[in-house]
């Protein structure tokens, strides 16, 4: 996509300095409990790991993020799941000096109708909590997980400056 409101010289300079592209799913790990972990490789070689944990408990989500960020070659990790049929809750951990967790999560997930951010954080950690409202009543858990996964991945990839790829066949 080309942004026509920028001067041609600036567009050319941006194109020379920055490459845009879709992340590739380097690995997909699936657990028998429905947990899905994706290792994504960005165009610049950085990796991002994201995890969907069905029926996760809040503490388990943060613990999983703490564990995954310790892995070699992982710059930033986001772990999320549905907690109590009421919220999508997640944790972000990063080693990257260019990722401000509070700003990053606010930009990814936005604000509620009162202007409060769904996410926040500090230097190397962040968390988010997004109400799922009426959808939490769903009796089809697989469909709910699919919807949560799609919405979260789309928001996260857009925040990374990437367009979401087609869903991974599972």
């Amino acid at each position: 996509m080309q942004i026509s409101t920028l001067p041609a010289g600036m567009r050319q300079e941006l194109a020379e300095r920055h490459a845009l592209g879709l992340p590739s799913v380097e690995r997909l790990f699936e657990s028998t409990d429905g947990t899905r972990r994706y290792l994504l490789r960005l165009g610049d070689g950085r990796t991002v790991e994201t995890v969907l944990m069905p029926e996760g408990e809040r503490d388990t989500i943060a613990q999983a993020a703490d564990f995954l960020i310790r892995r070699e070659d992982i710059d930033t990790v986001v772990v999320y799941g549905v907690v109590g049929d009421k919220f999508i809750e997640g944790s972000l951990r990063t080693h990257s000096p260019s990722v401000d967790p509070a700003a990053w999560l606010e930009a990814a997930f936005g604000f509620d109708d009162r202007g409060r951010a769904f996410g926040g954080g500090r230097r190397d950690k962040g968390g988010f909590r997004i109400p799922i409202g009426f959808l939490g009543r769903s009796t089809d858990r697989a469909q709910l997980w699919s919807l949560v996964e799609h919405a979260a991945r789309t928001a996260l990839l857009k925040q990374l400056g990437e367009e979401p790829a087609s869903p991974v066949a599972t």
Side-chain angles (χ1 to χ4, degrees):
M1 171 200 300
Q2 190 172 25
I3 302 172
S4 60
T5 58
L6 296 175
M10 182 181 281
R11 287 194 310 262
Q12 182 177 348
E13 183 179 340
L14 286 170
E16 290 170 2
R17 289 183 172 190
H18 305 282
L20 296 178
L22 296 174
S24 60
V25 176
E26 196 153 294
R27 292 198 63 190
L28 167 62
F29 304 92
E30 293 185 88
S31 176
T32 56
D33 70 355
T35 299
R36 291 182 182 168
R37 183 167 51 108
Y38 296 90
L39 177 62
L40 305 175
R41 182 156 309 274
L42 304 178
D44 63 2
R46 291 182 302 150
T47 55
V48 176
E49 193 155 353
T50 183
V51 178
L52 171 65
M53 298 177 67
E55 298 295 337
E57 297 227 3
R58 188 174 194 191
D59 291 342
T60 305
I61 292 170
Q63 290 167 359
D66 289 337
F67 173 78
L68 292 170
I69 196 64
R70 292 184 194 121
R71 293 184 49 163
E72 192 173 325
D73 296 328
I74 300 293
D75 297 317
T76 302
V77 62
V78 177
V79 178
Y80 56 92
V82 174
V83 176
D85 295 333
K86 295 181 181 180
F87 300 98
I88 301 169
E89 293 200 20
S91 289
L92 177 148
R93 302 293 186 265
T94 187
H95 295 302
S96 175
S98 65
V99 175
D100 172 346
W104 204 89
L105 291 170
E106 286 175 9
F109 297 117
F111 300 84
D112 68 14
D113 57 357
R114 294 183 181 173
R116 293 179 298 197
F118 288 120
R122 56 179 192 255
R123 183 174 43 97
D124 59 351
K125 298 178 180 185
F128 57 93
R129 186 178 208 201
I130 304 166
I132 59 174
F134 180 77
L135 297 176
R137 298 180 189 176
S138 174
T139 57
D140 186 341
R141 304 316 288 172
Q143 190 171 23
L144 178 61
W145 303 139
S146 179
L147 180 61
V148 166
E149 180 179 26
H150 176 76
R153 285 186 74 219
T154 298
L156 293 168
L157 289 172
K158 283 184 179 179
Q159 180 57 23
L160 289 168
E162 314 284 340
E163 285 299 316
S166 299
V168 175
T170 57

